[in-house]
C-alpha cells in the first residue's frame, strides 16, 4: 500500500511539473498551428480538399503528440538527475520499481491530454467511431514511445543520445513496413534483395509496427477493423512489457 501511494505521488508531481512548465500551452500552440496549416491546404487544394485536410491534420497531430511527450520525458528526467532528485528518491526505503512505476504512470496519464485533444479534433472531420479508433491507436503509440524514452534516459543518461535514439527508433518503427516491402521487391535485374529482406524482417520482429497505428486513412475512408485494433493492442502490451522490464533492469543495476 505504501509503495502504491508513493507511485501515485510521483505520478502526480510528474504531471504537475508538465503543467507548471507551460507544456500544455505548447501543446495548444502546436495544435492551432496544425489546424491552420491543414486549413490552408484545404483552401489551396483543387480536388479532395477535405480528405487532404484530414490527412495532413491527423499526421501533424500524431507527430506533435509523440514529439512533445518524448521530449518532455527526456528533459524532465535529465532535470531530475541534474538536481539529484532521482538519487534522493531512489535512496528512500521503497523499491526502485515504485519510482519507475510512478514516473511511467505520470507520463501515461499525461499522454491522455494530447490524445484526447487530437481525438476531439479528428471527430470534427470524421465519424466518431473511426476518430475514437484513431485516438486509441495514437495513445498506444505514445505509450510505446514514452516507455522507450524512459528506457533511454535510464540507460544512456544523456539528453542528445536519448533524443537521437528516440528519433531513430520512431522513424524506423514508422517505416519498417515500407522497408520490408522494398527489400522483398524485385530489383531492375530481376534478382531479389534476400539479404536486405532478412535484415528488415529481423528488424520488423524486434520493432513495433507503428506504421499500422493511427493511420490517416482510418479517418478519410474508415476501415479500422476490430482485428486491426486487437492486433495493435496485443503488440502494444508486448512491447510495453519488454520496455518496462528493460528499464527496470537498468535501474536496478545503477549505483546510487
Amino acid at each position: 500500500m505504501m509503495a502504491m501511494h508513493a507511485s501515485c505521488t510521483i505520478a502526480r508531481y510528474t504531471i504537475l511539473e508538465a503543467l507548471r512548465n507551460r507544456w500544455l500551452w505548447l501543446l495548444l500552440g502546436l495544435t492551432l498551428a496544425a489546424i491552420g496549416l491543414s486549413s490552408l491546404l484545404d483552401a489551396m487544394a483543387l480536388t479532395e480538399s477535405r480528405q487532404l485536410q484530414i490527412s495532413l491534420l491527423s499526421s501533424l497531430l500524431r507527430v506533435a503528440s509523440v514529439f512533445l511527450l518524448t521530449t518532455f520525458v527526456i528533459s524532465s528526467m535529465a532535470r531530475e538527475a541534474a538536481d539529484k532528485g532521482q538519487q534522493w528518491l531512489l535512496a528512500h526505503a521503497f523499491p526502485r520499481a515504485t519510482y519507475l512505476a510512478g514516473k511511467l504512470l505520470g507520463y501515461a496519464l499525461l499522454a491522455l491530454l494530447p490524445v484526447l485533444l487530437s481525438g476531439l479534433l479528428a471527430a470534427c472531420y470524421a465519424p466518431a467511431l473511426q476518430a475514437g479508433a484513431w485516438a486509441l491507436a495514437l495513445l498506444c503509440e505514445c505509450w510505446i514511445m514514452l516507455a522507450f524514452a524512459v528506457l533511454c534516459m535510464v540507460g544512456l543518461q544523456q539528453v542528445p543520445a536519448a533524443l537521437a535514439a528516440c528519433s531513430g527508433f520512431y522513424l524506423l518503427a514508422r517505416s519498417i513496413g515500407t522497408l520490408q516491402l522494398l527489400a522483398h521487391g524485385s530489383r531492375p535485374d530481376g534478382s531479389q534483395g534476400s539479404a536486405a529482406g532478412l535484415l528488415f524482417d529481423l528488424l520488423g520482429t524486434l520493432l513495433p509496427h507503428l506504421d499500422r497505428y493511427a493511420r490517416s486513412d482510418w479517418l478519410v475512408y474508415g476501415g479500422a477493423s476490430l482485428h486491426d485494433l486487437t492486433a495493435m493492442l496485443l503488440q502494444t502490451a508486448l512491447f510495453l512489457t519488454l520496455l518496462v522490464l528493460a528499464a527496470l533492469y537498468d535501474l536496478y543495476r545503477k549505483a546510487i
Side-chain angles (χ1 to χ4, degrees):
M1 185 63 68
M2 185 178 298
M4 184 180 298
H5 177 71
S7 294
C8 292
T9 302
I10 294 172
R12 181 166 64 90
Y13 279 103
T14 300
I15 296 174
L16 287 176
E17 179 188 1
L19 298 179
R20 289 170 180 170
N21 288 341
R22 296 180 175 85
W23 181 84
L24 185 58
W25 290 108
L26 182 58
L27 170 63
L28 293 175
L30 288 178
T31 302
L32 291 176
I35 295 174
L37 187 58
S38 62
S39 299
L40 178 62
L41 181 62
D42 180 30
M44 295 176 60
L46 299 177
T47 60
E48 296 186 340
S49 59
R50 188 169 182 82
Q51 287 81 354
L52 289 174
Q53 182 183 13
I54 298 173
S55 297
L56 180 61
L57 180 61
S58 60
S59 298
L60 291 175
L61 290 175
R62 182 182 182 184
V63 173
S65 299
V66 172
F67 171 77
L68 284 176
L69 289 167
T70 52
T71 52
F72 172 74
V73 169
I74 293 172
S75 61
S76 172
M77 296 189 71
R79 188 183 309 110
E80 190 177 74
D83 296 339
K84 305 301 180 182
Q86 187 183 77
Q87 288 84 345
W88 183 83
L89 288 170
L90 294 179
H92 278 65
F94 53 80
R96 299 188 182 191
T98 302
Y99 164 79
L100 183 63
K103 300 299 289 186
L104 289 172
L105 177 60
Y107 295 140
L109 293 176
L110 188 64
L112 293 174
L113 292 178
V115 170
L116 288 175
L117 181 59
S118 300
L120 290 175
L121 287 174
C124 296
Y125 298 92
L129 188 61
Q130 296 298 323
W134 180 85
L136 176 61
L138 178 59
L139 181 62
C140 292
E141 182 175 324
C142 290
W143 280 352
I144 290 176
M145 290 305 303
L146 288 176
F148 186 77
V150 171
L151 173 61
C152 289
M153 284 306 296
V154 171
L156 301 176
Q157 301 179 6
Q158 296 291 331
V159 173
L163 285 173
C166 286
S167 300
F169 177 82
Y170 186 64
L171 290 174
L172 195 56
R174 281 285 302 268
S175 59
I176 188 62
T178 303
L179 293 174
Q180 285 180 299
L181 289 175
L182 292 175
H184 286 290
S186 298
R187 295 178 177 179
D189 58 359
S191 61
Q192 298 289 328
S194 57
L198 290 175
L199 173 61
F200 287 119
D201 284 343
L202 177 61
L203 288 175
T205 304
L206 299 176
L207 292 172
H209 283 255
L210 297 184
D211 54 320
R212 302 172 184 171
Y213 286 54
R215 291 161 44 186
S216 299
D217 61 290
W218 289 358
L219 300 176
V220 178
Y221 305 109
S225 65
L226 182 60
H227 177 269
D228 293 333
L229 295 177
T230 303
M232 179 197 68
L233 291 174
L234 290 175
Q235 182 177 222
T236 301
L238 173 62
F239 279 95
L240 282 179
T241 302
L242 294 175
L243 291 172
V244 171
L245 289 176
L248 195 60
Y249 172 78
D250 276 346
L251 190 61
Y252 268 98
R253 70 183 182 87
K254 284 180 59 178
I256 300 177

